[in-house]
C-alpha cells in the first residue's frame, strides 16, 4: 500500500502484510505490473516505470494519466528526482544482468528510491536459473534437444559471468545486508496455464542470446556451432510441438522499511 507520497515505482501474514495490497502471487508478478496496477489503484497514485532503454515502453497514448515511463540505469545512483520518492518500488529480472553473484550494489541503488519515511515497500520478482529445466508431458516424449538448449544457454551465461545462486537468498540479503523487514518470500513452481507461453518466451530468449553471442564472438561463442545449433533448434521445435515445456521456479519477495519501535525516534 502506498503511503503519503502516493508514489509507486516499477523499477498477509502479519498486520503489516495486510496493509500491503499490491498482490505478490506468481500471476500478479509476471504480467506488465504497472499496467495491471493502474487498473485498480486510486487515480491520485502516481505510477512510474523505469528501464535502461525506452524502446519497449508502451506508447504514451495507451497509458492512463497517472502512469509514466522514463529511462534509468539501475546500476547508477538514482538522480535526486527519484531519490527517497517512492512508497513502493517493484523490480524484477535482475538475474539477467547481475554478474559475479552479488546483487548488493543494485539493491542499494533501488532501496535509495524508497521514501525516507519508514514503511515503504520493496517487491522483488526473480527467476531461479538453477531450476531451469525441460519437462516432458509424459515418458514417451523426449527432452533431448531442449535439454541441450538449456545446457548451452547456461554455459553461455556462466561464460559471461552471470552467477545465479543469490536468487535463492533474496530475503536474507535484504534483511541482513540492507536492514529491511521481510514480509513474504514465496517460491512458485510450474503453473499449467502459463507453461506454453512461458516456453515460447524462453525459447525465443535463449535463441536470441545464443545467436547474439555467436555473432559477436568472444566468451561463450564456442558453445554455438552453426550446423549443430540449427539441428538442435529444429529438435527443440519438434519437442515443444509434442508438449515439452521449459520452466524455472520464480521467487517473489516483499520487504519493507521497518517502523521504529516504541522509544525510537525517526526524523522525517
Amino acid at each position: 500500500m502506498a503511503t503519503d507520497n502516493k508514489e509507486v515505482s516499477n523499477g498477509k501474514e502479519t498486520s503489516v502484510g495486510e496493509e500491503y495490497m499490491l498482490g505478490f502471487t506468481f500471476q500478479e508478478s509476471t504480467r506488465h505490473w504497472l499496467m495491471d496496477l493502474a487498473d485498480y489503484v486510486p487515480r491520485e497514485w502516481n505510477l512510474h516505470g523505469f528501464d535502461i532503454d525506452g524502446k519497449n515502453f508502451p506508447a504514451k497514448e495507451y497509458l492512463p494519466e497517472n502512469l509514466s515511463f522514463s529511462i534509468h540505469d539501475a546500476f547508477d545512483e538514482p538522480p535526486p528526482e527519484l531519490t527517497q520518492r517512492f512508497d513502493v518500488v517493484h523490480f524484477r529480472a535482475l538475474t539477467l544482468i547481475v554478474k559475479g553473484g552479488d546483487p548488493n550494489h543494485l539493491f542499494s541503488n533501488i532501496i535509495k528510491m524508497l521514501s525516507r519515511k519508514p514503511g515503504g515497500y520493496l517487491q522483488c520478482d526473480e527467476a531461479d536459473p538453477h531450476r531451469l529445466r525441460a519437462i516432458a508431458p509424459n515418458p514417451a516424449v523426449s527432452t533431448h534437444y531442449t535439454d541441450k538448449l538449456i545446457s548451452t544457454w547456461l554455459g553461455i551465461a556462466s561464460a559471461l559471468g552471470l552467477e545465479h545462486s543469490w536468487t535463492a537468498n533474496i530475503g536474507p540479503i535484504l534483511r541482513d545486508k540492507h536492514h529491511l523487514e521481510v514480509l513474504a518470500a514465496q517460491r512458485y513452481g510450474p503453473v499449467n496455464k502459463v507453461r506454453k507461453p512461458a516456453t515460447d518466451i524462453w525459447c525465443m530468449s535463449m535463441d536470441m542470446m545464443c545467436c547474439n553471442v555467436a555473432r559477436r564472438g568472444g566468451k561463450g561463442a564456442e558453445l554455438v556451432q552453426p550446423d549443430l545449433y540449427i539441428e538442435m533448434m529444429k529438435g527443440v521445435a519438434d519437442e515443444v510441438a509434442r508438449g515439452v515445456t521449459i520452466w524455472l521456479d520464480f521467487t517473489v519477495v516483499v520487504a519493507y522499511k521497518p517502523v521504529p519501535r516504541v522509544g525510537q525516534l525517526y526524523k522525517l
Side-chain angles (χ1 to χ4, degrees), residues 147-158:
D147 287 333
K148 290 181 67 173
L149 173 60
I150 291 172
S151 178
T152 300
W153 185 86
L154 289 174
I156 290 174
S158 178

Side-chain angles (χ1 to χ4, degrees), residues 117-119 257-267:
K117 298 176 295 183
K257 293 175 70 174
V259 177
R261 297 182 177 87
V262 175
Q264 290 181 316
L265 296 177
Y266 193 91
K267 185 177 180 180

Side-chain angles (χ1 to χ4, degrees), residues 1 16 20 23 25 37 46 68 72 96 139 164 183 202 238 266:
M1 176 178 179
V16 176
Y20 184 77
T25 68
L37 191 64
N46 295 314
S68 61
H72 174 59
L96 300 177
H164 306 114
L183 169 63
W202 271 107
D238 179 65
Y266 193 91

Side-chain angles (χ1 to χ4, degrees), residues 19-30:
E19 296 173 2
Y20 184 77
M21 60 184 289
L22 310 182
F24 49 80
T25 68
F26 172 77
Q27 287 83 1
E28 290 165 335
S29 301
T30 53

Side-chain angles (χ1 to χ4, degrees), residues 199-220:
T199 298
D200 292 342
I201 291 171
W202 271 107
C203 284
M204 289 187 292
S205 299
M206 288 191 285
D207 182 39
M208 184 181 301
M209 180 174 174
C210 292
C211 291
N212 285 342
V213 168
R215 183 172 59 252
R216 292 197 308 264
K219 295 180 179 179

Side-chain angles (χ1 to χ4, degrees), residues 11 17 23 78 84 87 93 121 133 167 217 223 228 235 242:
Q84 297 183 336
D87 297 301
Y121 290 93
R133 58 207 185 271
T167 59
L223 298 174
L228 296 177
R242 299 180 65 197

Side-chain angles (χ1 to χ4, degrees), residues 1-3 6-12 16-31 33-42 45-48 66 86-91 114 119-125 183-184 186 188 252-256:
M1 176 178 179
T3 53
K6 306 289 193 301
E7 299 280 356
V8 180
S9 171
N10 188 34
K12 303 177 182 179
V16 176
E18 291 168 0
E19 296 173 2
Y20 184 77
M21 60 184 289
L22 310 182
F24 49 80
T25 68
F26 172 77
Q27 287 83 1
E28 290 165 335
S29 301
T30 53
R31 301 185 300 243
W33 197 80
L34 278 180
M35 296 288 281
D36 282 341
L37 191 64
D39 289 337
Y40 69 89
V41 301
W45 288 21
N46 295 314
L47 311 177
H48 303 270
N66 63 337
F86 299 100
D87 297 301
V88 177
V89 175
H90 169 271
F91 62 94
L114 280 176
Y121 290 93
L122 191 75
Q123 177 172 331
C124 173
D125 310 335
L183 169 63
Q186 300 185 11
Y188 297 90
V252 180
V253 177
V254 176
Y256 67 99

